[in-house]
């Protein structure tokens, strides 16, 4: 699936959150997903909240996997570990660079680096595992 197909999938199957995200890139190397940071994503202290950052990492990995296997709505997160390294800027979008490290029949493993737009230093790193449902057929 390319960037346009991934965005269409989000709008169709996850309309409740689709407006928060934009797919900047989807190719063989992975997916770059943008969180359009808004007031609802902030916590006291003028920074993006941990749950918003977790959500970005999770959706980015989900889309990176779907870019390889197609629109499988029932693929689910089975594990996630996230390291928060720096305070993200509240005034900038967050970018997630997701890559699939291993794609098997039942599990996919990948990592995601999160950046404040325009900054070269990552604000967080996540490692995720997804369960892929068996093909029906």
């Amino acid at each position: 699936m390319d960037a346009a197909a991934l965005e269409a999938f989000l709008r169709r199957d996850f309309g409740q959150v689709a407006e928060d995200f934009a797919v900047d890139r989807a190719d063989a190397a992975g997916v770059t997903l943008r969180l359009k940071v808004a007031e609802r994503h902030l916590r006291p202290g003028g920074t993006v909240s941990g749950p918003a950052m977790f959500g970005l990492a999770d959706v980015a990995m989900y889309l990176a996997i779907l870019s390889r296997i197609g629109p499988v709505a029932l693929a689910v997160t089975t594990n996630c570990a996230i390291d928060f390294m720096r305070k993200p800027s509240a005034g900038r979008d967050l970018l997630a660079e997701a890559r699939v490290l291993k794609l098997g029949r039942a599990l996919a493993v990948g990592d995601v680096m999160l950046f404040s737009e325009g900054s070269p230093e990552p604000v967080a790193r996540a490692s995720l595992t997804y369960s892929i449902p068996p093909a029906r057929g």
Side-chain angles (χ1 to χ4, degrees):
M1 296 175 73
D2 64 11
L6 291 171
E7 284 192 345
F9 174 81
L10 272 180
R11 283 190 304 275
R12 185 183 67 243
D13 289 347
F14 295 96
Q16 68 275 24
V17 297
E19 293 302 316
D20 285 348
F21 302 105
V23 179
D24 286 1
R25 174 186 62 86
D27 56 31
V31 167
T32 301
L33 185 66
R34 174 182 302 271
L35 174 65
K36 301 174 198 174
V37 174
E39 185 70 29
R40 69 183 168 279
H41 301 119
L42 304 181
R43 64 175 289 275
T47 189
V48 178
S49 72
M53 294 168 65
F54 174 89
L56 174 61
D58 193 35
V59 174
M61 182 52 57
Y62 181 57
L63 294 180
I65 294 165
L66 296 188
S67 76
R68 308 270 290 279
I69 67 171
V72 180
L74 297 179
V76 296
T77 310
T78 59
N79 189 57
C80 179
I82 189 165
D83 297 307
F84 300 103
M85 299 183 286
R86 291 174 183 80
K87 181 179 174 180
S89 173
R92 293 189 240 164
D93 288 350
L94 281 184
L95 301 175
E97 297 283 341
R99 64 186 179 137
V100 177
L101 301 174
K102 181 180 185 303
L103 181 60
R105 286 189 322 264
L107 293 176
V109 178
D111 66 11
V112 182
M113 298 295 287
L114 275 62
F115 300 87
S116 284
E117 185 175 34
S119 176
E121 298 293 327
V123 298
R125 173 185 65 107
S127 173
L128 296 101
T129 303
Y130 265 76
S131 175
I132 301 168
R136 297 184 188 239

